[in-house]
Every structure is written in C-alpha cells, then in structure tokens.
Amino acid sequence: MPRWLVYGATTIVVGVLLVLTLAYLFQRRLIYLPTGGPVPPAADVLPGARDVRLSTADGLTLGAWYVPGDGGFTVLVANGNGGNRTHRVALAAALRDAGFAVLLFDYRGYGDSEGEPTEAGLALDVRAARSYLVDDLRVPPDRLVYFGDSLGSAVVTELAVRYPPAGLVLRSPFTELADTAAEHYPFLPVRLLLRDRFPVVENVRRVRVPTVVVYGSADSVVPPAQSRAVADAAAGPVTVVEIRGADHNDPVLLTGSQVIGAVVRLTR
C-alpha cells in the first residue's frame, strides 16, 4: 500500500476519533445552555412574588420564585435547556392572570443555583421543587399541574411517573434526546455517545393523568413529528394544541392564548 495512502487513512481515523472524543467530553455544553446569575428579586419582575431557596437531596441550593394565585391550582414549571427563570417571567405572569399560583425554579448550574446540570441532577432538582410545594406550602397533589418547557417536558414526565400530578402540560416535547440530537448531528453516533437520555415516550406511556401537548408546526429544533409521537404515546387522555407556523422559541408557544387556555381547560 502506498505510504501516502497509509498516512491519509491514518489522518482520517485520528480526525474522526478526535471529533468523537470531543463530542463525548463536551456534550453537556451542547445540551445545557444556562444563563448564570445574578437573578433579580422576584418582586422586582413579578409583583407579589417571593424568593425561595430549594434544597436538593444531594445537598445543593437552588434559586426559585413563588407567585401566589387565587387558591386554586398551582403550576410547577420546568424550564427548557437555555437561559434561566427570568426568561419565563411572561409565562408566570400569564398563568397568574389566569388564576394559577406558579413556581419558577432554576436547575443546578442555571441562574443563581449551585452545581452542574445532568439528567440525574435535574430529576433531583424538580423533586426539590415539588417537595417545596407539597411539603412546605401544603399544595395537594391533586391541585398541582406540571408544565414542562421543551427539555423540561422530559423532566416533568419522569417526575410524573413517580409523583402523578393533576395534569401534565408538555410544550414542544421530543421523543427522547437522542432522536433530536440525531436530527441536528446526523454525522455523529449520538446514541452511543449520549450520557443523558431523557426518554419522554418511554415515561409518558406510564403516566395516566390528563395531558396537553403543545407544539409549533414550524419547529426547527424539535421536529413536530416527535411532539405528535409523544401525544400518541401518552397513557392518559390527551389534548393536542398545534400552533400553526410557530417555531420553537416563538413566544406564542409559551404565553399565547391557546396555550394558557389549554392549561385552564386541563384544570376544569
């Protein structure tokens, strides 16, 4: 075999191995896109809201805001993979105006919360948020709604398997993280590389509570077909809300009248 061919093949192999190694080592920097602190006081951005500190089972402290409601249902919001809770202020305000109490919290590594995000870590974080509502504020579980925003859909669906809520709202859910990653990185063996799975379909098949699935027909991040597959897999009664022409980060998918209206109908 010609020497130049050996050198060329070796270079290609080394290059591929380097790309795979870097993708494995730094994958969480592609998955989790936090905005750090400082975070303003709750009352400065949501009149009547108060600051809360949550304690996780592994000893971390998380930042959160609690927005009182009219004494009816409470919505626990699990954020997407980017930003922090300040980016969900409009959602909390819209839900409050519809009569709901709301808890916004930041995962570990986001906002003013300690730690670094992982799938297992986010599961502990959302449990700490639920514990605050149920154990500290005495919110009855049958008056609690989980609202998952994109990646947060995976977080609350996993929580709902162990702690069923009154209802579940999944905004732009994917079937599992590897499916969406494969759409964006088709040149990588993502199923072999990924350490965090977030298997939404697997979990939603075990959740029998009323569920709302919201997605945009023009979503360029999570393919709409994946959100429809989540709705098809849900074990409980399902309402599908398709927002025509909406992309993944369009405000209408968080605070639009169709979304807030679906949450209201879920609790009737």
Side-chain angles (χ1 to χ4, degrees), residues 53-239:
R53 307 303 286 175
L54 308 175
S55 298
T56 67
D58 58 345
L60 297 182
T61 300
L62 310 178
W65 294 335
Y66 176 72
V67 186
D70 65 3
F73 284 83
T74 298
V75 180
L76 168 57
V77 177
N79 299 336
N81 70 319
N84 60 39
R85 64 188 184 274
T86 64
H87 297 90
R88 278 78 187 180
V89 168
L91 171 62
L95 290 170
R96 177 196 57 197
D97 291 345
F100 297 101
V102 183
L103 182 67
L104 296 180
F105 74 99
D106 277 325
Y107 305 128
R108 57 190 62 204
Y110 287 71
D112 53 352
S113 296
E114 300 173 343
E116 296 292 333
T118 65
E119 180 180 12
L122 269 56
L124 295 178
D125 297 346
V126 77
R127 280 162 171 74
R130 180 188 180 276
S131 177
Y132 170 75
L133 293 172
V134 173
D135 299 331
D136 295 356
L137 298 189
R138 302 298 180 185
V139 175
D142 63 357
R143 307 294 284 180
L144 186 57
V145 173
Y146 301 161
F147 188 115
D149 177 10
S150 192
L151 179 74
S153 295
V155 175
V156 295
T157 302
E158 189 276 334
L159 178 68
V161 172
R162 179 66 180 85
Y163 300 102
L168 190 63
V169 182
L170 308 178
R171 200 286 281 185
S172 303
F174 48 73
T175 46
E176 66 172 288
L177 185 59
D179 292 338
T180 299
E183 293 283 337
H184 295 281
Y185 304 100
F187 51 89
L188 292 176
V190 293
R191 297 183 190 283
L192 296 176
L193 295 173
L194 279 179
R195 289 182 281 178
D196 294 343
R197 293 183 55 236
F198 292 108
V200 180
V201 162
E202 178 182 317
N203 284 326
V204 81
R205 287 183 175 134
R206 303 165 62 192
V207 178
R208 300 188 178 279
V209 305
T211 300
V212 174
V213 175
V214 180
Y215 67 92
S217 66
D219 197 316
S220 60
V221 176
V222 176
Q226 291 192 25
S227 295
R228 290 193 292 268
V230 170
D232 291 342
V238 178
T239 300

